[in-house]
Amino acid sequence: MRRTIAVVSAGLGRPSSSRLLADRLAAAVERELHERGDETEVRVVEVRDHAHDLVNSLVSGFPAPELQGAFDVVTGADGLIAVTPTFAASYSGLFKAFFDVLDLLDDNALADKPVLIGATGGTARHSLVLENAMRPLFTYLRGVVVPMSVFAAPEDWGGAAAPDLLARRIDRAAAQLAVEIHRRDAPAVRDPFEPTPFEDLLGAG
């Protein structure tokens, strides 16, 4: 079966440590899925490329075509890897805006979708962002967040043992996401123009 992995990276620089971590997570998930007999396609969304469109969409309620295309990548994927830099002990505002607008447009966009969360920051003390901020966010969005998450501080990229330790965490998290993706059917493609059933409208009232 062919599987699609959506990668959402909210790094501000180019290149960024968030994108570097996201790419390594995606490569590890690809390896795990290949071992299970699945073909894979990785599709990357750089949130910084949609910053202005996110603000406009929050105001107008209508996403630009490029932003809608990014949302389609996420909603149509078998699994999601989401990585943010850490700001003030939380995810970045740009990262949050992306998922806020996605949820406003479709509050079922991430329902039952396997999610692997990652973050980068200037110190390992910020690693709690994963459990204090990111996991509650994706749980609220009804994603299935795998138990292992990955934080990368500057010291994780250098030193004699650091790359191996980071690689082990990446591999463990990737294996968990691959298991969740592999055991699910491919997500159904939803038609955004499909009318809402009358009984659902009554229930919503």
Side-chain angles (χ1 to χ4, degrees):
M1 184 178 294
R2 188 168 185 82
R3 301 294 192 170
T4 303
I5 304 165
V7 178
V8 175
S9 172
L12 297 180
R14 185 169 288 174
S16 70
S17 58
S18 294
R19 176 62 189 270
L20 178 60
L21 177 59
D23 287 345
R24 290 191 60 180
L25 289 168
V29 175
E30 279 194 285
R31 289 195 301 269
E32 292 288 340
L33 286 171
H34 286 165
E35 290 179 4
R36 291 165 173 79
D38 290 334
E39 296 182 12
T40 59
E41 177 186 2
V42 174
R43 303 185 67 185
V44 179
V45 174
E46 284 274 12
V47 181
R48 57 167 282 162
D49 294 339
H50 305 282
H52 294 293
D53 287 340
L54 284 168
V55 174
N56 291 337
S57 184
L58 282 168
V59 174
S60 68
F62 296 98
E66 294 81 4
L67 180 58
Q68 183 61 60
F71 290 150
D72 291 342
V73 166
V74 173
T75 57
D78 294 275
L80 170 64
I81 297 170
V83 182
T84 180
T86 305
F87 288 99
S90 188
Y91 35 63
S92 74
L94 195 58
F95 180 86
K96 181 63 161 54
F98 182 87
F99 289 101
D100 280 347
V101 175
L102 175 60
D103 186 53
L104 286 171
L105 295 172
D106 181 0
D107 60 4
N108 286 309
L110 298 185
D112 199 41
K113 189 178 298 295
V115 181
L116 168 55
I117 54 175
T120 59
T123 170
R125 290 178 301 167
H126 291 155
S127 62
L128 287 175
V129 65
L130 292 163
E131 303 304 320
N132 289 348
M134 291 186 72
R135 191 176 298 275
L137 170 64
F138 287 101
T139 299
Y140 171 79
L141 296 173
R142 299 199 293 275
V144 179
V145 188
V146 299
M148 186 74 183
S149 55
V150 181
F151 184 89
E155 57 266 29
D156 290 311
W157 303 108
D164 289 339
L165 294 174
L166 178 60
R168 288 178 206 163
R169 301 203 305 272
I170 287 172
D171 288 344
R172 284 178 59 194
Q176 292 176 359
L177 184 65
V179 166
E180 290 296 331
I181 291 173
H182 182 73
R183 71 184 186 88
R184 285 172 161 77
D185 294 330
V189 178
R190 301 180 63 221
D191 181 358
F193 299 105
E194 182 179 355
T196 303
F198 186 67
E199 56 270 21
D200 290 351
L201 291 174
L202 290 176

